[in-house]
Amino acid sequence: MGDKSKICFAASSGGHLAHLYMLKPFWQEKDRFWVTFDKEDARSLLKGERIYPCYFPTNRSIKALIKNTVIAWNVLKKERPDLIISTGAAVAVPFFYIGKLFGAKTIYIEVFDRIDRPTLTGKLVYPAADGFVVQWEEMKHVYKKAVNLGSIF
């Protein structure tokens, strides 16, 4: 990915966002923006970053999916990222599918605490993911096209 590429990081606040933040050596010099919940932990962690708030709670909520699909459309139409990276949870789904419509590549990183079973978000974005990263070798049996890069901790 060239230096001129723009990256969208989309994740729930809390652990999902912390996972993405751990990739700072990768993203710190890149043009980027974040999509996450407007919560204190996210505002604190991402102070000074370009942030778009998304709707929450998202847990198995059709209402949240619809609202975040509208947000995804508006944000992605404006920003036009080259790459969307997510660790989940549900906010990843509309961003991956709408992102594909705008020509973005997508990379999903399955969370560290899943060793041999998929997350619901992982199952939903797997078909739209250009890259799918797992952190345990056992997960390659669950996601056949996944790459195990080991722990990001």
Side-chain angles (χ1 to χ4, degrees):
M1 182 119 297
D3 289 337
K4 301 286 183 194
S5 298
K6 184 187 287 187
I7 303 172
C8 168
F9 291 98
S12 303
S13 62
H16 293 284
L17 182 59
H19 267 93
L20 288 179
Y21 197 83
M22 287 181 204
L23 301 174
K24 188 173 183 176
F26 163 74
W27 57 255
Q28 65 186 351
E29 299 297 324
K30 297 193 176 9
D31 184 9
R32 65 195 174 272
F33 66 94
W34 302 80
V35 177
T36 191
F37 302 160
D38 185 14
K39 296 177 91 174
E40 185 57 40
D41 66 316
R43 288 190 300 270
S44 175
L45 185 67
L46 299 175
K47 188 173 184 173
E49 293 287 321
R50 193 163 72 242
I51 305 168
Y52 292 93
C54 60
Y55 183 81
F56 70 94
T58 57
N59 298 24
R60 292 170 174 76
S61 167
I62 296 299
K63 177 182 175 183
L65 178 62
I66 292 167
K67 286 185 173 202
N68 284 329
T69 298
V70 171
I71 291 168
W73 179 268
N74 291 331
V75 169
L76 296 174
K77 183 178 178 186
K78 175 184 176 184
E79 291 285 353
R80 302 285 179 146
D82 300 291
L83 177 63
I84 301 168
I85 301 175
S86 183
T87 52
V91 70
V93 177
F95 275 83
F96 270 43
Y97 285 93
I98 300 295
K100 297 302 281 182
L101 293 176
F102 286 107
K105 297 292 184 189
T106 57
I107 297 175
Y108 187 77
I109 304 169
E110 186 66 285
V111 292
F112 180 75
D113 63 348
R114 286 303 176 110
I115 299 170
D116 60 2
R117 291 185 355 262
T119 58
L120 177 59
T121 304
K123 289 191 289 188
L124 291 172
V125 302
Y126 187 70
D130 294 297
F132 201 95
V133 177
V134 295
Q135 299 181 59
W136 296 93
E137 192 63 26
E138 293 85 347
M139 289 300 283
K140 287 175 62 181
H141 300 290
V142 176
Y143 300 112
K144 301 301 181 197
K145 68 178 183 180
V147 175
N148 176 15
L149 297 180
S151 171
I152 60 175
F153 284 104

